[in-house]
Amino acid sequence: CRMPRGTRKGRFAFEETHLTHFGGMWLIRRFCNKLRLRWLLQKYVQVPLRSGPYHAADLMLALLWAIIMGLRRINKTEILQYNGAFLEMLGVRRFPDQSTLRRFLKRLPPKAIREVARLHDSLRASLFALPTPRTTLVFDVDSVVLVIYGRAAGARVGYNPKKPGRRSYHPVLCFEAHCQEFWHGSLRPGNTVAATGAVPFLRTCLAKVPPTIARSRIRFRMDSGFFGKRPIEFLEREGCGYVIVAKEYATIKTRARAVQFTPLQSAPGVLTEGCKDGRAVAGDDGGPLDDGADGAPDGEDASAHAATAPSATSAVARTKVGRITPRVCRSGRPVAADPAGPTPAAPPPTWPP
């Protein structure tokens, strides 16, 4: 039989105008429509504006799309005004120009910003249990330096490794590590140190946690900028786990070298039979807690606790047994389950917020 012939001739043309490299925004638009995001912004965010061609919800969505597409400056949005395929894909006739977006941000009152934050928290709470309810949370807390060019309100000269002597902001941010979900943030002047207001910030993060997740199933990960007595004592009182990079003080180094792990023999709910050297190792997600499994080695965790606990050995033991549900031993054999039982399922989401 004769094999069919393939394409023998082809023609490449670059004359089509309905092409765009922002094609992925079609999925973002479908997702926003499914959430009825424009309706929610109109209802729950009140922004007084003069009569014009754009509603406040449309301007907020325009800024959201620009951020998702990686346009970090407002003057970069000019390329969207003449992208016919992009405008047709989003179902809009035209995209707001730079001056319109700048005037909108300048007139945006602080009350409206708080309303947007509350709407964001409400949407996250409604979608938190999807696709499956979560039983653990890992919060990554860090501060960043945002360089400011010009004289923006609240910008101050402070720690700035990239542009020393230039004004900047020093916000602190919290993300949930499992899904990279933004949890909470606070904008601060550039002359603020990292640990300033750390305890109120952590308290706000915990206030947004669903009641179905126990405090013992929450872990914070922070760098040395947040290492201090007050944040550690607060997390100890709340019963949360934490991994904080300890500053290399001479006293901390001495106490960290003196830390020793004690074999656990008769801890309730833990089977040490078959474990290496008779020690039980705990895991928070059903897996072993090996060195570096949670983003920081065990020695780092031990040094952070040893700096504040009266006994370094008891502090490490409390971290291994009291804070984390025992799951498996170091040899990989299963051990007894949590006596408290599984975490109850999350209630159905409430909608609208």
Side-chain angles (χ1 to χ4, degrees), residues 190-213:
N191 58 354
T192 306
V193 298
T196 300
V199 172
F201 183 85
L202 297 176
R203 185 180 292 110
T204 304
C205 293
L206 291 177
K208 297 182 179 182
V209 174
T212 56
I213 299 180

Side-chain angles (χ1 to χ4, degrees), residues 10-330:
R11 178 176 177 270
F12 294 90
F14 300 92
E15 303 171 355
E16 181 62 43
T17 59
H18 287 68
L19 297 177
T20 176
H21 61 282
F22 299 129
M25 288 301 298
W26 181 80
L27 298 176
I28 301 297
R29 183 186 68 86
R30 289 287 303 272
F31 180 69
C32 294
N33 291 343
K34 194 71 175 179
L35 293 178
R36 299 187 300 170
L37 185 57
R38 188 177 186 275
W39 178 81
L40 292 174
L41 290 172
Q42 290 178 353
K43 183 176 181 179
Y44 294 102
V45 182
Q46 304 298 326
V47 181
L49 288 180
R50 301 176 183 176
S51 58
Y54 300 104
H55 192 275
D58 297 326
L59 296 176
M60 285 185 281
L61 285 177
L63 292 171
L64 177 63
W65 293 332
I67 293 174
I68 293 176
M69 290 183 293
L71 305 178
R72 303 184 63 180
R73 297 186 178 277
I74 293 181
N75 57 2
K76 300 296 183 181
T77 60
E78 184 179 3
I79 62 176
L80 302 178
Q81 301 178 23
Y82 310 103
N83 195 321
F86 170 78
L87 299 177
E88 182 178 350
M89 182 173 52
L90 293 182
V92 296
R93 289 180 298 178
R94 57 179 178 175
F95 195 85
D97 55 20
Q98 307 174 33
S99 58
T100 302
L101 294 176
R102 287 194 177 95
R103 286 195 301 266
F104 172 72
L105 291 177
K106 187 177 181 179
R107 297 172 181 173
L108 194 65
K111 178 184 177 181
I113 299 176
R114 290 191 291 268
E115 291 173 348
V116 172
R118 284 195 294 267
L119 178 59
H120 172 267
D121 295 339
S122 179
L123 288 172
R124 185 187 60 238
S126 301
L127 303 175
F128 185 78
L130 301 176
T132 57
R134 299 187 222 173
T135 58
T136 61
L137 290 176
V138 178
F139 289 135
D140 291 329
V141 180
D142 198 2
S143 60
V144 296
V145 176
L146 301 180
V147 182
I148 300 299
Y149 298 92
R151 292 186 174 273
R156 298 290 185 274
V157 177
Y159 173 73
N160 195 337
K162 294 184 178 180
K163 298 286 185 178
R166 191 176 291 275
R167 296 172 181 265
S168 64
Y169 291 122
H170 194 191
V172 57
L173 307 173
C174 177
F175 288 85
E176 206 283 316
H178 290 155
C179 296
Q180 296 298 313
E181 174 71 27
F182 173 76
W183 200 263
H184 185 55
S186 178
L187 183 63
R188 307 179 302 179
N191 58 354
T192 306
V193 298
T196 300
V199 172
F201 183 85
L202 297 176
R203 185 180 292 110
T204 304
C205 293
L206 291 177
K208 297 182 179 182
V209 174
T212 56
I213 299 180
R215 289 291 190 262
S216 60
R217 306 293 291 173
I218 301 174
R219 178 182 297 180
F220 284 86
R221 301 189 297 195
M222 296 174 278
D223 60 11
S224 58
F226 297 91
F227 181 78
K229 181 179 179 181
R230 292 182 180 178
I232 292 177
E233 287 182 346
F234 172 77
L235 294 176
E236 288 281 350
R237 289 194 304 267
E238 293 292 331
C240 301
Y242 57 88
V243 178
I244 304 178
V245 179
K247 296 182 179 179
E248 297 184 359
Y249 297 129
T251 54
I252 295 180
K253 290 182 178 181
T254 302
R255 299 192 66 175
R257 295 190 187 100
V259 170
Q260 296 180 356
F261 285 86
T262 305
L264 305 178
Q265 299 177 355
S266 59
V270 181
L271 298 180
T272 59
E273 182 180 357
C275 296
K276 183 178 180 181
D277 299 330
R279 303 180 186 181
V281 179
D284 63 340
D285 292 320
L289 183 63
D290 294 329
D291 293 344
D294 57 355
D298 286 348
E300 229 171 47
D301 193 4
S303 62
H305 284 77
T308 56
S311 173
T313 303
S314 62
V316 175
R318 191 166 60 254
T319 303
K320 292 297 180 184
V321 177
R323 299 300 163 83
I324 306 172
T325 304
R327 293 294 182 185
V328 297
C329 63
R330 196 175 293 274

